[in-house]
Amino acid sequence: MRARVWQEIRLSSLGVIAEAELVLGPGLTVITGETGAGKTMVVTALGLLRGTRADAGLVRHGDERARVEARVAVDAHDEVERILADTPAELDEGELVIARTVGKDGRSRAYLGGASVPAGLLARVSEHLVAVHGQSDQHRLLQLGTQRAALDRFGELDDLLDAYRPGYARLLEARRELDELTAAEQERARELDLLLFGLDEIAAVDPQPGEDDDLRAEEDRLAHAESLVAAAVEAHHLLSDTDDSLDVMDLLGRTGALLDQVRAYDPDLDAIAGRLEEVRFTISDVAGELASYPERVEADPARLAAVSERRAALAGLTRKYGAQVADVLEWAEDAQQRVEGLRGDDERIAALTDEVTGLEQSLTTQAARITEARAAAAVRLAEQVERELEALAMPHARLVVDVRTPDAPTPADLGPDGLDAVEMLLAANAGASPRPLAKGASGGELSRVMLALEVVLAEGTSVPTFVFDEVDAGIGGRAAIEVGRRLARLATRAQVVVVTHLPQVAAFADRHYHVHKTDDGTVTTSDVAHLGDPERVAELSRMLAGLEGSATAEAHARELVALAADDRAVGG
């Protein structure tokens, strides 16, 4: 038997229930009560703890808010602990406190391990802790994806699917990338042509870094060579003319000689004389350079034409590819990288095509093994469920677990779970043709099919707690006893909570809670009470006879309790 998981559930101001506490444990917990007593409020409370939508109508009349709180043992549940590791929730000696409040304005708040969290986080945690089955939840069983998952769980296909799914995910990614590259092939070709044209145009000119500035300066010198020489000659003449009135050097020399005679007598005048001497040396150097400058000036019309032509070629590039030659060179570098990338796309397309082909072949082989395993599991599952249905007063029922695979499967038929579609078909009566569960089973029959499936699948489930909300509707007599027996059997492997109206089911309980109404003339209230053995017999008697105090019903109730006890003893 598994360790206890849900320790207790506390309800406050929820619907017709003012205050209630359910202490749970391993085995089968049963909740009964009169019609309209609110026994399904326990299931409603679990729904809130599972993160379902809150409704202001759940708040008890006259109160500000409703509250539901539960303590759950999760210290041995790795998946739950992994989720909690990323939250502010804290465990209390391996136990997790889950709570939800609903205000009369409809606003709700969720709490996990003492921390306020989004309601969605409750859903993530609770899906690993509890599975709830009710009349509305039976629709889950009608979904083909759920039926396939149930078959895979029964057939223990986890290893095959775990090996298949990463490859399938990669196949989808590779196909997407290949489609994108192929779809953009024409656009890539146009872009490549433009880039190559630009690179060829730049390569033909072959611009060099800084060349535009150098050419501009050279063109200025060539275009103004005569003016430059004339200016230099005239300047040299002004500085070095033999005419005393214009000879700057002679004037500076005379001035310096004059100051040299008296500079020793005044530091200020000495400094001035020193500066004058420096000016004289500088002008002498300038005059010498001006004298030789005309020899360095090139007056070459052919070179001027070549420079102008070169500058025009560079200007053609800068109009298209950048304001300066440096910008043109940068564009060329970027364009070359892009060209390499575009040419690499062709190689990438080839590589992806090979990868997709290889993945499709490998996955098709793996999917065939999954199909083979599913087909074998489908036969076993159908046989075991049919045995359960026979005991549940459906002796002629025939379940067909149809594993459908395309006659000539292609890679396009591959899906995230292989090649197969799985559908459960039921022939409820002898001679009937198997039909989908939604069409081939009544509400009561569907309840029994679901229960039979849960009993058969219980060995492989990782969910530690099952809650059944009146799934025994439409069942009675011997079949009701078999329902109770199967729920008790399921409770040896998991924690089971059942809301029922059948005494035959309630007789198998390890603990029994009764929801009863009280009315003070103004407010109707429901209370939840744990029943000891005497109270339990009285409740089963009431459920059997529809009234209290019936000796016959009481005797029948004791007989049911004894039958259940014997059955558990034999089962144990």
Side-chain angles (χ1 to χ4, degrees):
M1 181 179 293
R2 294 181 180 175
R4 180 170 56 185
V5 179
W6 290 77
Q7 312 279 39
E8 62 185 24
I9 302 175
R10 297 175 180 268
L11 291 70
S12 176
S13 300
L14 184 66
V16 294
I17 296 178
E19 299 285 344
E21 179 180 357
L22 281 78
V23 178
L24 305 180
L28 177 61
T29 298
V30 166
I31 302 169
T32 63
E34 303 95 338
T35 301
K39 53 186 180 292
T40 58
M41 275 297 166
V42 176
V43 179
T44 301
L46 277 170
L48 290 173
L49 295 175
R50 292 165 58 220
T52 58
R53 184 176 180 275
D55 182 358
L58 296 175
V59 182
R60 189 167 179 265
H61 179 70
D63 289 338
E64 292 295 318
R65 65 182 54 84
R67 179 179 176 86
V68 182
E69 180 181 304
R71 295 182 66 85
V72 189
V74 297
D75 53 342
H77 204 299
D78 295 340
E79 187 63 24
V80 172
E81 291 185 338
R82 184 188 65 78
I83 295 174
L84 295 179
D86 298 326
T87 73
E90 295 183 359
L91 296 180
D92 181 11
E93 296 182 354
E95 293 182 2
L96 176 68
V97 176
I98 305 175
R100 186 92 177 270
T101 63
V102 182
K104 64 180 182 180
D105 58 359
R107 296 182 181 179
S108 73
R109 297 191 68 180
Y111 301 89
L112 201 60
S116 179
V117 297
L121 185 56
L122 297 189
R124 287 184 57 202
V125 171
S126 63
E127 68 177 352
H128 300 287
L129 296 176
V130 60
V132 178
H133 302 288
Q135 293 291 325
S136 60
D137 295 290
Q138 289 176 356
H139 294 292
R140 179 184 61 91
L141 190 64
L142 306 181
Q143 299 171 3
L144 299 187
T146 302
Q147 294 176 11
R148 181 205 52 74
L151 175 62
D152 291 348
R153 191 166 75 244
F154 173 79
E156 299 180 346
L157 271 66
D158 286 351
D159 289 344
L160 288 174
L161 290 169
D162 288 345
Y164 171 88
R165 283 170 177 156
Y168 179 74
R170 175 55 196 159
L171 174 62
L172 292 183
E173 184 179 352
R175 282 175 172 172
R176 177 191 56 76
E177 187 177 353
L178 181 58
D179 289 343
E180 290 177 354
L181 289 174
T182 303
E185 192 168 6
Q186 290 184 346
E187 184 179 345
R188 284 202 319 279
R190 286 193 295 269
E191 183 182 359
L192 183 59
D193 286 344
L194 289 173
L195 291 172
L196 290 175
F197 176 82
L199 288 172
D200 289 344
E201 190 174 21
I202 294 172
V205 176
D206 191 24
Q208 301 300 313
E211 183 182 6
D212 48 348
D213 293 333
D214 294 340
L215 288 173
R216 184 184 303 110
E218 184 178 2
E219 185 180 46
D220 286 342
R221 288 196 304 272
L222 290 169
H224 301 86
E226 293 182 3
S227 299
L228 293 173
V229 170
V233 170
E234 181 65 19
H236 178 262
H237 175 72
L238 291 174
L239 292 178
S240 304
D241 197 290
T242 54
D243 185 348
D244 291 344
S245 63
L246 296 178
D247 189 348
V248 175
M249 295 299 299
D250 182 59
L251 292 175
L252 291 175
R254 292 178 183 181
T255 304
L258 181 62
L259 293 179
D260 284 342
Q261 297 176 9
V262 294
R263 62 188 297 178
Y265 305 116
D266 184 2
D268 291 341
L269 187 60
D270 183 61
I272 294 173
R275 290 167 57 193
L276 180 62
E277 187 174 358
E278 293 175 1
V279 170
R280 182 181 177 188
F281 291 147
T282 299
I283 291 178
S284 177
D285 291 340
V286 170
E289 292 179 9
L290 287 172
S292 62
Y293 176 78
E295 298 176 2
R296 301 196 304 272
V297 176
E298 181 181 7
D300 186 349
R303 175 58 184 166
L304 176 60
V307 170
S308 297
E309 183 179 354
R310 179 67 176 173
R311 288 198 66 199
L314 293 178
L317 296 180
T318 56
R319 281 195 301 269
K320 295 181 179 180
Y321 307 109
Q324 304 290 331
V325 167
D327 300 324
V328 173
L329 293 172
E330 183 178 356
W331 183 93
E333 183 178 353
D334 293 341
Q336 186 61 48
Q337 293 179 359
R338 179 59 179 158
V339 166
E340 292 173 1
L342 291 173
R343 286 173 172 167
D345 284 345
D346 293 334
E347 299 175 0
R348 181 61 178 157
I349 288 175
L352 283 171
T353 301
D354 292 342
E355 183 182 8
V356 166
T357 301
L359 285 170
E360 289 175 344
Q361 293 173 348
S362 173
L363 290 171
T364 299
T365 301
Q366 293 181 60
R369 289 197 290 266
I370 293 172
T371 297
E372 183 180 357
R374 279 197 181 120
V379 174
R380 299 196 308 273
L381 177 62
E383 291 175 349
Q384 294 186 31
V385 171
E386 285 175 1
R387 285 198 295 269
E388 293 296 326
L389 291 175
E390 183 178 1
L392 293 171
M394 296 179 67
H396 303 295
R398 183 162 60 94
L399 181 72
V400 177
V401 183
D402 186 16
V403 179
R404 292 193 295 271
T405 306
D407 293 334
T410 67
D413 296 316
L414 293 169
D417 303 296
L419 289 165
D420 315 314
V422 176
E423 184 173 18
M424 295 182 183
L425 308 172
L426 179 70
N429 302 298
S433 298
R435 304 180 66 194
L437 292 181
K439 300 178 180 179
S442 65
E445 289 169 340
L446 187 56
S447 297
R448 280 177 275 179
V449 172
M450 184 171 68
L451 177 59
L453 278 168
E454 290 294 4
V455 170
V456 172
L457 297 172
E459 287 287 357
T461 185
S462 61
V463 177
T465 301
F466 293 91
V467 177
F468 294 90
D469 182 16
E470 297 188 354
V471 294
D472 47 20
I475 301 174
R478 179 68 183 174
I481 293 178
E482 293 301 332
V483 169
R485 180 172 286 135
R486 267 117 190 103
L487 288 169
R489 184 193 306 172
L490 181 60
T492 64
R493 303 182 183 93
Q495 187 180 52
V496 179
V497 179
V498 178
V499 177
T500 183
H501 67 283
L502 292 180
Q504 296 94 328
V505 173
F508 283 87
D510 293 297
R511 65 193 56 76
H512 191 155
Y513 286 94
H514 177 241
V515 182
H516 61 281
K517 292 189 297 184
T518 59
D519 187 349
D520 62 3
T522 303
V523 178
T524 299
T525 301
S526 290
D527 296 317
V528 182
H530 178 262
L531 303 182
D533 289 341
E535 296 89 354
R536 187 172 171 221
V537 171
E539 170 64 2
L540 293 178
S541 175
R542 180 197 65 77
M543 296 172 70
L544 284 164
L547 51 86
E548 298 180 1
S550 169
T552 301
E554 184 175 334
H556 190 187
R558 293 185 184 278
E559 182 181 1
L560 283 176
V561 172
L563 172 67
D566 291 343
D567 193 83
R568 285 198 300 270
V570 171

